[in-house]
């Protein structure tokens, strides 16, 4: 049954890859102490790369696929794995009684090196008590200046780790884009959230000028970063931040988009080229996957396909999930 399921998933995964430079790639796990009935592998770049297996402690769950680009998988929704074309990676995951599952890895040299850095960064965050969720920071009353300073520290330490590790350019860019998302979303989002929940105005948070906090930031345009879902979230938030800043400078009122159609229009206007292609695809893909009022995406999908799409893999995914 599992072999049949893997074959079916492998078959539908093919439209996401291009006709060149595809390489066989392997992800396998042995899992202990997991309470769920099924073990899940989910690629964050596309729902067309996925696999699931019946939970059986100690049994190897093997998934083979082809890809022409770096991809990131979530194992059971938590453990992140980065794989380049041709990589082979095996992970032993022991959930035990800890909130953080223990994972040991083996496989091809490139895959081991990349994913050890991923583990080191997660360990660094735990050592820093750097919370993934900003609402958790508010609940713990972490002050905005402390969160912003921690974010700067995290970003600099990750840059140093990547320089020392000498990963492939694609892997380093992907990991850095994830870290920048943590840091810069904290810059833009946390002061606003803290003010709303804790009642301390941004001007009283000792963070300096909120509208200068993103100075020096330049949106990334490399292919690896523009495949990272976390970076798409950063780009979406940055467009609102900059549009609000522009409105204030003109003495106007900015109304942040709350509807799909308005968000699409704002992103299509703010960005150009590959950045626009990436954020519009991500916006549409996320909305369609929610499974509600999908018909609202039809006109936008047509507009996106005709005007802005350059990466044919995006269309293959959207066509598949719209069926």
């Amino acid at each position: 049954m599992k072999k049949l399921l893997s074959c079916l998933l492998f078959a539908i995964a093919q439209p996401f890859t291009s006709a060149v430079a595809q390489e066989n790639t392997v992800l396998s796990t042995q899992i202990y102490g997991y309470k769920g009935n099924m073990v899940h592998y989910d690629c964050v770049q596309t729902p067309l790369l996925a696999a699931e297996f019946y939970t059986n402690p100690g049994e190897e769950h093997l998934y083979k696929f082809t890809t022409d680009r770096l991809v990131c998988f979530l194992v059971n929704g938590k453990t992140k794995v980065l794989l380049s074309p041709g990589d082979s990676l095996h992970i032993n995951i022991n959930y035990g009684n800890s909130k953080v599952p223990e994972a040991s890895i083996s496989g091809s040299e490139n895959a081991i090196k990349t994913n050890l850095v991923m583990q080191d960064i997660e360990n660094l965050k735990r050592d820093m008590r750097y919370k993934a969720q900003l609402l958790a920071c508010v609940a713990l009353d972490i002050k905005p200046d402390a969160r912003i300073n921690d974010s700067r520290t995290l970003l600099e330490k990750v840059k140093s780790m990547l320089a020392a590790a000498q990963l492939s350019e694609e892997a380093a860019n992907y990991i850095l884009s994830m870290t920048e998302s943590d840091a810069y979303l904290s810059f833009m989002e946390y002061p606003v959230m803290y003010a709303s929940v804790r009642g301390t105005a941004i001007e009283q948070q000792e963070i300096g000028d909120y509208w200068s906090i993103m100075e020096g930031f330049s949106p990334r345009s490399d292919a690896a970063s523009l495949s990272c879902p976390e970076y798409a979230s950063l780009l979406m938030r940055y467009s609102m931040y900059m549009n609000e800043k522009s409105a204030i400078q003109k003495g106007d009122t900015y109304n942040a988009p709350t509807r799909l159609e308005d968000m699409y229009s704002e992103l299509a206007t703010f960005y150009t080229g590959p950045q626009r292609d990436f954020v519009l695809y991500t916006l549409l893909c996320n909305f369609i996957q929610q499974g509600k009022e999908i018909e609202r995406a039809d006109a936008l999908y047509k507009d996106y396909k005709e005007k802005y799409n350059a990466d044919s893999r995006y269309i293959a995914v959207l066509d598949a999930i719209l069926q």
Side-chain angles (χ1 to χ4, degrees):
M1 176 65 181
K2 282 182 289 186
K3 290 183 178 178
L4 175 60
L5 178 58
S6 294
C7 289
L8 289 172
L9 289 167
F10 177 80
I12 66 170
Q14 303 313 300
F16 188 68
T17 58
S18 68
V20 296
Q22 295 183 33
E23 294 190 49
N24 292 324
T25 308
V26 179
L27 171 62
S28 64
T29 63
Q30 288 172 283
I31 295 180
Y32 304 87
Y34 182 60
K35 303 302 183 183
N37 292 325
M38 303 293 291
V39 173
H40 297 276
Y41 299 172
D42 296 294
C43 179
V44 303
Q45 277 70 46
T46 168
L48 302 185
L49 286 177
E52 59 181 18
F53 309 85
Y54 289 109
T55 301
N56 189 0
E59 181 177 335
E60 183 181 33
H61 304 311
L62 181 69
Y63 180 45
K64 296 181 180 180
F65 60 97
T66 60
T67 182
D68 62 354
R69 62 187 284 182
L70 183 79
V71 289
C72 178
F73 276 84
L74 288 176
V75 179
N76 291 336
K78 290 186 177 181
T79 303
K80 283 185 179 179
V81 178
L82 271 186
L83 295 167
S84 295
D87 278 351
S88 178
L89 186 71
H90 180 80
I91 317 174
N92 286 334
I93 304 177
N94 193 334
Y95 286 83
N97 296 319
S98 173
K99 292 182 179 179
V100 180
E102 298 179 2
S104 60
I105 62 178
S106 58
S108 58
E109 181 180 357
N110 177 70
I112 292 174
K113 187 165 62 170
T114 298
N115 287 280
L116 282 178
V117 172
M118 294 275 283
Q119 287 187 354
D120 289 344
I121 292 172
E122 290 305 307
N123 291 334
L124 171 62
K125 289 180 179 179
R126 283 193 287 273
D127 291 343
M128 292 178 61
R129 297 186 178 182
Y130 190 87
K131 302 296 182 184
Q133 300 296 326
L134 293 180
L135 279 175
C137 297
V138 176
L140 293 170
D141 198 17
I142 296 173
K143 306 303 182 189
D145 62 327
R147 176 67 180 193
I148 289 170
N149 288 335
D150 284 348
S151 297
R152 290 193 175 106
T153 298
L154 175 67
L155 189 54
E156 289 308 311
K157 287 187 174 182
V158 169
K159 287 179 179 178
S160 296
M161 292 167 66
L162 291 173
Q166 297 183 327
L167 303 182
S168 69
E169 183 178 0
E170 291 79 11
N173 284 340
Y174 192 94
I175 292 171
L176 188 55
S177 72
M178 287 195 297
T179 309
E180 287 188 354
S181 301
D182 286 333
Y184 293 128
L185 281 172
S186 294
F187 287 12
M188 294 181 288
E189 193 69 24
Y190 193 58
V192 177
M193 185 182 297
Y194 191 88
S196 175
V197 177
R198 291 284 179 176
T200 302
I202 293 177
E203 295 77 15
Q204 299 172 350
Q205 293 176 6
E206 300 181 354
I207 62 169
D209 179 19
Y210 174 72
W211 296 112
S212 299
I213 203 166
M214 291 296 289
E215 287 184 356
F217 172 74
S218 178
R220 305 176 68 83
S221 57
D222 62 277
S225 297
L226 298 184
S227 70
C228 176
E230 294 91 343
Y231 202 72
S233 297
L234 171 60
L235 293 178
M236 291 177 189
R237 184 63 181 88
Y238 182 66
S239 73
M240 291 188 284
Y241 172 89
M242 292 302 291
N243 283 333
E244 184 176 7
K245 178 180 179 179
S246 178
I248 289 173
Q249 290 173 340
K250 296 175 183 177
D252 297 333
T253 300
Y254 173 75
N255 295 312
T258 57
R259 299 172 63 251
L260 169 69
E261 294 80 1
D262 296 335
M263 189 67 182
Y264 178 93
S265 177
E266 178 163 318
L267 292 171
T269 301
F270 187 82
Y271 288 109
T272 60
Q275 293 167 345
R276 176 168 56 195
D277 195 6
F278 174 51
V279 293
L280 293 181
Y281 158 74
T282 303
L283 179 70
L284 291 173
C285 192
N286 289 346
F287 182 83
I288 293 166
Q289 287 183 282
Q290 290 176 8
K292 298 179 180 179
E293 300 182 281
I294 295 176
E295 65 278 359
R296 289 174 56 193
D298 290 343
L300 298 180
Y301 169 66
K302 184 175 184 294
D303 183 78
Y304 163 70
K305 187 175 182 179
E306 291 177 353
K307 294 181 181 178
Y308 305 124
N309 174 254
D311 191 330
S312 61
R313 294 173 296 191
Y314 295 161
I315 296 300
V317 173
L318 291 172
D319 284 344
I321 63 178
L322 278 169
Q323 290 178 359

